[in-house]
Amino acid sequence: MQKNFLLGCAVKFRTLGSFIPTLRSKACESADDVTADTIKRVTCRFYPSVAFKTTMKGATLMEKDLNIDHA
């Protein structure tokens, strides 16, 4: 997955959905003005599959305290 992101490729999991790398950058007048310095932020966007969305609609959510030590 990481290797594909470094290549700028989306990663699709059939039953889960797609992870797509995205970025934010400064606007430039031409393609020649674009450099690594114009990129402000690189992140990943998740798009769930139809099956995953349907499953999540029927899910029951509960609040959990994650600060409790379970040792």
Side-chain angles (χ1 to χ4, degrees):
M1 188 170 168
Q2 187 177 15
K3 181 179 175 182
N4 285 311
F5 279 150
L6 291 174
L7 294 172
C9 300
V11 177
K12 297 179 182 181
F13 294 97
R14 190 175 300 154
T15 57
L16 185 61
S18 301
F19 294 87
I20 301 173
T22 62
L23 60 87
R24 290 187 187 247
S25 64
K26 291 190 261 183
C28 296
E29 292 291 324
S30 69
D32 294 333
D33 296 335
V34 177
T35 67
D37 294 330
T38 60
I39 298 172
K40 295 180 182 180
R41 180 178 172 204
V42 178
T43 188
C44 174
R45 177 85 188 198
F46 173 66
Y47 294 94
S49 69
V50 173
F52 186 71
K53 274 186 185 179
T54 303
T55 301
M56 290 304 295
K57 284 181 183 177
T60 303
L61 303 177
M62 297 174 20
E63 184 176 341
K64 288 283 189 178
D65 184 357
L66 300 177
N67 294 316
I68 298 174
D69 185 15
H70 295 287

